Amino acid sequence: MNVILSIRPNFCKMIFSGQKKYEYRKRVFTRSDVDKVYIYATKPICRIVGYFTIDEVIEDKKSYMWEKTHKDGGINKEYFDAYFKNCDMAHAIKIGEVVKLDNSIDPKEVIKDFHAPQNFMYADFDL
């Protein structure tokens, strides 16, 4: 099983360059068989631009999460704190192999009634 994550274009660039090795989320998928994450670059791109495999998904108290992952998280402490405001727990998806697509994909061409996911959506296909 795969998922599609909505990720801001600046963070997409950091993932492809290897600068960002963790993708932070307030909540993550519950299925244990997810092994590939398609990267949906949000506005103004609005396309699937690549994917990465998952090394692991970490769940921890947000203060511990920052200590464990901040060197490779691609964001500063202020952004982290603002994102996880009012949350006790934090999730970090450790990014494995990263592939940037030569030709990005308009998801509306491959997914009927596609709407950009607020957080993530399951995708039972392989691009």
Side-chain angles (χ1 to χ4, degrees), residues 2 35-36 38 51 123-127:
N2 305 314
D35 50 28
K36 187 185 288 185
Y38 287 108
Y51 63 87
D124 62 353
F125 56 82
D126 207 15
L127 300 176

Side-chain angles (χ1 to χ4, degrees), residues 97-115:
E97 178 188 2
V98 179
V99 174
K100 184 175 183 181
L101 297 176
D102 291 332
N103 298 305
S104 62
I105 298 167
D106 180 348
K108 292 178 181 177
E109 293 177 2
V110 293
I111 303 169
K112 184 180 178 182
D113 300 323
F114 177 83
H115 297 286

Side-chain angles (χ1 to χ4, degrees), residues 15-86:
I15 289 170
F16 292 129
S17 74
Q19 260 182 296
K20 184 171 176 55
K21 296 180 181 171
Y22 292 96
E23 176 60 23
Y24 297 110
R25 294 289 153 153
K26 294 175 188 170
R27 61 183 192 91
V28 292
F29 30 88
T30 55
R31 293 184 61 153
S32 60
D33 62 341
V34 174
D35 50 28
K36 187 185 288 185
V37 173
Y38 287 108
I39 301 168
Y40 174 77
T42 60
K43 289 184 178 182
I45 298 170
C46 302
R47 296 179 72 83
I48 296 172
V49 295
Y51 63 87
F52 61 83
T53 60
I54 299 171
D55 273 356
E56 68 177 312
V57 178
I58 305 167
E59 178 182 18
D60 210 334
K61 291 185 178 183
K62 65 181 176 183
S63 59
Y64 296 137
M65 184 65 74
W66 177 253
E67 290 305 315
K68 287 180 184 178
T69 62
H70 75 276
K71 291 179 183 171
D72 294 316
I75 59 174
N76 62 32
K77 181 77 163 96
E78 293 75 24
Y79 191 97
F80 180 90
D81 288 342
Y83 180 73
F84 286 111
K85 184 179 179 182
N86 300 323

